[in-house]
Amino acid sequence: YVFLEHHESHAASAFFPSPFDEAAILTLDGVGEWATGSIAVGRGNQIQMLKELRFPHSLGLLYSAFTYFTGFKVNSGEYKLMGLAPYGEPIYADLIRERMLDVKEDGSFRMDMSYFAYTHKDVMTSRKFDALFGGPPRAAESPITQREMDLAASIQQVTEEIVLKMARHARVLTGSKYLCLAGGVALNCVANGKVLRDSRFKRIWVQPAAGDAGGALGAALNAYYQFQ
């Protein structure tokens, strides 16, 4: 039996099926064990994990908090939030940056957990979050208002900025011209497009089953390539 960490499996699912013999690997999701994101490098049949971000600070959970607040289902409605973003304006982006996050140049960040409840309750956000954005979360299936559209545009912009900073840091850290992506956040195709255009990588490859559905594939590939 070979026991792998969650983000090792994500990394393997991205690198080993890719067309690259050598590449930087960026994984981002809600949480797996304690890691919420990682940077690794793949060369030949080996992957070396280099850095990781840890719970409760999570880009995936941050995005899911806004998914919850705008009235969509966590872990399945995030694509709706991404799709809603073009209909709004990112008027809350500065508020998110200034009140909720401390983002470093390498893309690592810390969240002000007083705005979030997912560490101790079965809801994602706190009353402080409600107060910041003018009222309680949108009720599921109720009409979508301009607030929800603007919140979607705002968190999408902030997410893109963080992913881009992490990708650029991975480029510097590994020296690779190529990037592989996995983890649930890698399903954000709009952010991926920005990485392709602006991160200085020559090519990127995204695992189609980037979320946890690809974990079994990554575990099998990791064992096949690294332990045979």
Side-chain angles (χ1 to χ4, degrees):
Y1 293 96
V2 178
F3 294 93
L4 301 174
E5 291 187 358
H6 189 86
H7 282 263
E8 282 186 289
S9 295
H10 275 321
S13 77
F15 176 65
F16 290 128
S18 79
F20 310 133
D21 292 326
E22 183 271 338
I25 310 165
L26 179 62
T27 70
L28 293 164
D29 65 6
V31 62
E33 291 93 39
W34 291 105
T36 61
S38 74
I39 294 174
V41 61
R43 295 187 178 95
N45 71 327
Q46 295 295 312
I47 291 175
Q48 180 185 4
M49 306 300 290
L50 302 175
K51 298 182 78 172
E52 70 177 28
L53 187 67
R54 291 204 150 203
F55 184 85
H57 312 290
S58 165
L59 189 56
L61 291 174
L62 175 67
Y63 204 85
S64 290
F66 280 83
T67 300
Y68 165 83
F69 193 77
T70 51
F72 304 118
K73 189 176 179 181
V74 172
N75 292 331
S76 64
E78 282 77 9
Y79 77 96
K80 295 180 180 179
L81 189 67
M82 182 180 69
L84 191 62
Y87 295 94
E89 297 295 330
I91 62 173
Y92 299 111
D94 285 341
L95 204 57
I96 295 169
R97 296 186 194 100
E98 293 166 7
R99 300 286 186 89
M100 293 185 166
L101 298 172
D102 177 18
V103 184
K104 306 301 183 185
E105 274 307 302
D106 64 0
S108 63
F109 61 91
R110 294 186 66 81
M111 298 161 61
D112 183 341
M113 296 308 299
S114 64
Y115 289 98
F116 305 93
Y118 60 77
T119 59
H120 57 281
K121 291 184 179 180
D122 60 356
V123 295
M124 295 297 294
T125 58
S126 70
R127 290 183 179 178
K128 190 173 178 181
F129 194 111
D130 299 356
L132 188 64
F133 297 118
R138 167 184 166 259
E141 306 302 328
S142 66
I144 294 172
T145 70
Q146 191 63 46
R147 182 186 72 156
E148 284 75 54
M149 298 177 195
D150 293 340
L151 283 167
S154 300
I155 191 57
Q156 179 65 31
Q157 184 180 91
V158 171
T159 297
E160 291 169 11
E161 291 170 359
I162 292 173
V163 172
L164 187 58
K165 284 185 175 183
M166 288 182 174
R168 287 176 172 171
H169 182 59
R171 175 78 173 89
V172 172
L173 197 63
T174 65
S176 178
K177 298 178 183 178
Y178 307 109
L179 175 67
C180 298
L181 292 162
V185 177
L187 293 170
N188 192 308
C189 56
V190 181
N192 294 345
K194 185 151 288 188
V195 169
L196 180 61
R197 291 190 300 272
D198 300 333
S199 67
R200 307 185 184 100
F201 282 101
K202 187 176 180 180
R203 292 175 65 192
I204 70 171
W205 193 87
V206 183
Q207 167 54 247
D212 288 350
L217 173 67
L221 289 170
N222 192 304
Y224 177 80
Y225 281 102
Q226 297 197 113
F227 296 99
Q228 63 175 324

